[in-house]
């Protein structure tokens, strides 16, 4: 809704992407939705698709939404016992680590790691 905030965030992403290029590493943007984000997206669809599409041209993006949205155990994935579910539990962190590892490995972004 706030176009200036989105532009500012895109500029920050640009800085990060340029810093990665300059320092010879692949920058990764990880979108980690809260539990209430997943509920909203299920009802109304992703509200950030244009943003992700734009930044995907500049750096590698991992959006956890697709991995989490259909899970039936979100109360175990998130540690907070409230509607927002902002923090991930140790179980959720393990799931996320596996997703990130698999994604980076499939994209060839992990070197010398087995």
């Amino acid at each position: 809704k706030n176009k200036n905030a989105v532009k500012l965030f895109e500029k920050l992403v640009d800085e990060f992407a340029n810093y990665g290029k300059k320092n010879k590493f692949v920058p990764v943007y990880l979108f980690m939705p809260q539990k209430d984000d997943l509920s909203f997206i299920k009802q109304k669809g992703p509200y950030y698709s244009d943003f992700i599409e734009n930044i995907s041209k500049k750096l590698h993006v991992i959006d956890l939404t697709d991995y989490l949205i259909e899970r039936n155990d979100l109360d175990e994935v998130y540690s907070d016992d409230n509607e927002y579910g902002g923090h991930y539990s140790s179980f959720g962190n393990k799931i996320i680590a596996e997703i990130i590892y698999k994604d980076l490995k499939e994209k060839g972004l992990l070197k010398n790691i087995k």
Side-chain angles (χ1 to χ4, degrees), residues 99-110:
I99 292 167
I100 294 168
Y101 177 79
K102 183 179 178 189
D103 181 275
L104 296 176
K105 188 169 182 159
E106 286 175 358
K107 302 289 190 286
L109 298 175
L110 296 178

Side-chain angles (χ1 to χ4, degrees), residues 37-89:
D37 288 323
L38 296 173
S39 297
F40 182 86
I41 292 165
K42 273 186 176 182
Q43 292 174 9
K44 303 198 183 231
Y47 54 87
Y48 56 90
S49 299
D50 291 342
F51 176 76
I52 294 293
E53 184 179 328
N54 288 337
I55 67 169
S56 293
K57 298 170 188 169
K58 303 167 188 175
L59 46 64
H60 182 65
V61 174
I62 301 172
D63 181 356
L64 296 177
T65 303
D66 293 338
Y67 300 97
L68 298 176
I69 199 157
E70 297 301 326
R71 291 189 71 99
N72 295 321
D73 59 352
L74 288 180
D75 288 336
E76 286 79 43
V77 172
Y78 292 90
S79 66
D80 294 349
D81 189 18
N82 63 48
E83 65 189 82
Y84 305 112
H87 293 279
Y88 294 92
S89 65

